[in-house]
């Protein structure tokens, strides 16, 4: 399916007009159109089967980021999020990136780790070698639990054994089952495999198996993206492109050396990634956990992105991080809008989805760094946030735009000011 991700004047359209455009662009059928055209797309009976103690459903705004071009292919990106400015920033930076060919992405295979913790071993190094001697047997045992995955080319591919000779609980060894989970996120698969080998591991090591569970530090399942911006592209009325590039690089370097800055810097990256993960019904907590652990892999928390200046003066941004997402199983298959989000993106594999997500994260990061290094983060953010403020103050209909216009003009975006405006006389 050939998609045009350019969305000119999209913000000026009504929600109904936007939906009509996306439905045509993504070739949605009448039933899919209807799902997005009404609230409550998640039926209560389905919600009740997804988690415990269900009393209702909770909705988030669902938007589409436009202009993304990834490996030469246009992609419309559904995003479910409550915070203003995120979708606008991602779309704007994607639009600017098109001038240099958009985003280039790649990824490793969909490998997840299952950990099997073994205690009560007096010879941990000897126990490690004993496990490695029986590695093929343990791999075969793990794979006996999921013939479907094996048929798809996945399954347990390797086993690592890590030794912790001196812990408060005594000597400990931890086996890592390295599992190719194909297009699944893989949590249930790897957990089942870890459970299946536990008894045999105890026999081999003479120890006692405790935890048998996946690791959310999916450092073998990485997604990468890179992007390039020329100085001409980044030039504004107030700043030269070279000034913007210098500001972005200096802002990145701050995040690279200071964990206090890096925490906010990486949160901005996840502002782009999490809404894609949520929209597709994937586990955003797992993605967050892996991202922040990966950012600390050097022993110091640092930036997930890099920003550099190329020989020709272009700004070059890159990101590499764990991306444990799936297209099958869980809410991704159960939630009607999650399935629809995947159709709108026209994703072909879990790796494809992960690459799109990190491209959006890189765009989001660039939007934040560009704003921070020029006019400041509040100028654009607060202008978009003003609509929320106006509505929380009680504005409805045409009053919303009027109050927003007044607050932005006054550079004073506050709920009490919005309430005062609504209580006073109307003017032009």
């Amino acid at each position: 399916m050939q998609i045009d991700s350019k969305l000119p004047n999209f913000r000026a359209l009504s929600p109904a007009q936007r939906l009509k455009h996306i439905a045509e662009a993504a070739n949605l059928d009448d039933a899919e159109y209807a799902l997005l055209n009404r609230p409550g797309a998640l039926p209560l009976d389905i919600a009740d089967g997804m988690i415990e103690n269900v009393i209702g459903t909770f909705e988030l705004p669902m938007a589409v980021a436009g202009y993304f071009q990834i490996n030469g292919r246009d992609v419309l990106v559904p995003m479910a999020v409550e915070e203003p400015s995120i979708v606008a920033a991602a779309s704007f930076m994607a639009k600017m990136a098109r001038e240099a060919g958009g985003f280039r992405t790649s990824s490793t295979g969909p490998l997840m780790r299952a950990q099997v913790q073994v205690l009560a071993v007096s010879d941990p190094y000897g126990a490690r070698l004993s496990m490695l001697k029986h590695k093929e047997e343990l791999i075969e045992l793990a794979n006996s639990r999921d013939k479907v995955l094996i048929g798809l080319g996945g399954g347990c591919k390797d086993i690592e054994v890590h030794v912790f000779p001196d812990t408060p609980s005594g000597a400990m060894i931890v086996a890592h089952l390295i599992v190719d989970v194909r297009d699944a996120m893989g949590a249930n698969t790897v957990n089942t495999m870890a459970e299946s080998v536990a008894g045999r591991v105890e026999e081999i090591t003479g120890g006692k198996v405790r935890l048998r569970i996946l690791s959310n530090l999916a450092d073998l399942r990485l997604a990468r993206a890179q992007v390039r911006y020329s100085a001409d592209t980044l030039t504004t009325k107030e700043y030269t492109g070279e000034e913007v590039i210098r500001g972005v690089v200096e802002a990145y370097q701050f995040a690279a050396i200071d964990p206090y800055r890096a925490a906010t810097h990486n949160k901005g990256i996840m502002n782009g990634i999490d809404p894609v993960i949520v929209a597709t019904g994937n586990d955003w907590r797992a993605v967050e956990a892996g991202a922040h652990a990966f950012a600390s892999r050097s022993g110091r928390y640092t930036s997930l992105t890099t920003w550099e200046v190329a020989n020709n003066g272009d700004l070059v941004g890159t990101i590499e991080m764990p991306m444990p997402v799936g297209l099958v199983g869980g809410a991704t298959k159960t939630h009607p809008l999650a399935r629809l989000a995947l159709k709108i993106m026209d994703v072909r594999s879990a790796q494809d989805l992960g690459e799109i997500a990190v491209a959006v994260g890189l765009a989001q990061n660039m939007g934040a760094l560009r704003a921070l290094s020029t006019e400041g983060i509040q100028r654009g953010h607060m202008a978009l946030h003003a609509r929320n403020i106006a509505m929380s103050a009680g504005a409805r209909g045409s009053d919303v735009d009027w109050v927003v216009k007044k607050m932005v003009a006054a550079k004073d975006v506050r709920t009490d000011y919005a309430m005062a405006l609504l209580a006073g006389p109307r003017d032009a």
Side-chain angles (χ1 to χ4, degrees), residues 216-291:
N216 283 126
L217 176 51
D219 59 352
L220 298 175
R221 194 177 188 178
L222 304 177
R224 315 178 187 98
Q226 61 187 89
V227 69
R228 179 180 290 258
Y229 297 95
S230 69
D232 288 344
T233 299
L234 295 174
T235 297
T236 69
K237 292 180 180 179
E238 296 88 4
Y239 299 92
T240 67
E242 290 77 11
E243 288 174 324
V244 174
I245 290 172
R246 184 169 61 252
V248 168
V249 171
E250 290 171 349
Y252 151 68
Q253 290 169 345
F254 183 10
I257 64 171
D258 180 17
Y260 290 94
R261 173 64 201 134
T264 309
H265 176 96
N266 289 343
K267 187 268 182 183
I269 294 168
M270 303 312 292
N271 274 350
I273 292 173
D274 284 347
V276 179
I277 305 305
V278 172
T280 57
N282 273 278
D283 186 349
W284 60 269
R285 284 97 41 208
V287 173
E288 283 272 353

Side-chain angles (χ1 to χ4, degrees), residues 110-125:
L111 298 177
M112 297 292 288
R113 296 178 185 267
Q115 295 184 291
V116 180
Q117 176 199 32
V118 188
L119 293 169
V121 285
S122 59
D123 60 336
Y125 291 99

Side-chain angles (χ1 to χ4, degrees), residues 86-419:
I86 287 176
V87 179
S91 298
F92 184 54
M93 299 320 303
K95 183 177 182 180
M96 295 179 72
R98 293 178 75 95
E99 296 189 26
F103 297 84
R104 299 294 171 184
T105 65
S106 63
S107 56
T108 61
L111 298 177
M112 297 292 288
R113 296 178 185 267
Q115 295 184 291
V116 180
Q117 176 199 32
V118 188
L119 293 169
V121 285
S122 59
D123 60 336
Y125 291 99
R128 173 180 179 270
L129 293 190
S130 294
M131 286 188 65
L132 291 175
K133 180 182 178 180
H134 292 84
K135 181 171 76 172
E136 295 305 321
E137 175 194 348
L138 291 170
I139 289 174
E140 185 177 348
L141 181 57
N143 284 336
S144 68
R145 301 303 299 269
D146 198 332
K147 297 299 185 183
V148 173
L149 182 62
I150 304 305
L152 294 171
C156 185
K157 301 298 184 181
D158 197 6
I159 293 179
E160 302 173 354
V161 186
H162 302 261
V163 176
F164 301 91
D166 185 18
T167 81
S169 299
M172 182 187 305
I173 60 176
V174 182
H176 287 198
L177 278 61
I178 311 302
V179 184
D180 184 333
V181 297
R182 299 284 82 197
D183 279 332
M185 184 273 179
N188 290 331
T189 295
V190 300
N191 289 344
T192 299
M193 288 186 175
E195 295 277 358
S196 72
V197 302
R200 184 62 181 130
V201 166
E202 288 185 337
E203 293 174 357
I204 293 169
T205 63
K208 177 64 178 177
V209 168
R210 293 295 190 192
L211 271 62
R212 295 140 290 172
I213 191 168
L214 89 161
S215 169
N216 283 126
L217 176 51
D219 59 352
L220 298 175
R221 194 177 188 178
L222 304 177
R224 315 178 187 98
Q226 61 187 89
V227 69
R228 179 180 290 258
Y229 297 95
S230 69
D232 288 344
T233 299
L234 295 174
T235 297
T236 69
K237 292 180 180 179
E238 296 88 4
Y239 299 92
T240 67
E242 290 77 11
E243 288 174 324
V244 174
I245 290 172
R246 184 169 61 252
V248 168
V249 171
E250 290 171 349
Y252 151 68
Q253 290 169 345
F254 183 10
I257 64 171
D258 180 17
Y260 290 94
R261 173 64 201 134
T264 309
H265 176 96
N266 289 343
K267 187 268 182 183
I269 294 168
M270 303 312 292
N271 274 350
I273 292 173
D274 284 347
V276 179
I277 305 305
V278 172
T280 57
N282 273 278
D283 186 349
W284 60 269
R285 284 97 41 208
V287 173
E288 283 272 353
H292 297 298
F294 192 73
S296 304
R297 67 194 183 280
S298 67
R300 178 177 55 83
Y301 188 80
T302 187
S303 169
L304 287 166
T305 56
T306 64
W307 292 94
E308 309 165 291
V309 182
N311 287 336
N312 68 350
D314 285 356
L315 177 66
V316 178
T318 64
I319 186 171
E320 181 179 45
M321 60 176 281
M323 194 48 61
V325 295
L327 304 186
V328 298
T332 305
K333 275 296 185 182
T334 306
H335 199 302
L337 289 186
R339 297 196 302 271
L340 198 50
L342 292 172
K343 178 173 180 177
I344 291 171
M345 274 189 285
D346 191 26
V347 293
R348 292 87 189 268
S349 67
Q351 287 176 251
D352 193 15
L353 174 58
E355 291 176 22
I356 292 170
V358 293
V360 177
L362 187 58
Q364 198 72 41
N365 186 223
M366 176 56 185
L369 294 183
R370 176 180 173 274
L372 283 166
S373 61
T374 55
E375 75 268 14
I377 200 71
Q378 288 298 79
R379 178 175 168 183
H381 178 76
M382 291 307 290
L384 292 168
H385 187 52
R387 295 188 66 82
N388 273 351
I389 295 296
M391 294 180 71
S392 68
R396 296 293 183 269
S398 61
D399 282 347
V400 174
D401 289 336
W402 180 80
V403 171
V404 167
K405 180 180 177 181
K406 286 292 185 181
M407 289 193 294
V408 170
K411 297 182 179 180
D412 188 3
V413 182
R414 293 179 293 112
T415 302
D416 56 345
Y417 181 46
M419 293 175 69

Side-chain angles (χ1 to χ4, degrees), residues 42-58:
L42 176 63
L44 195 58
D45 61 331
I46 293 180
D48 190 43
M50 292 172 68
I51 62 170
E52 308 78 29
N53 299 350
V54 168
I55 61 170
T57 59
F58 181 90

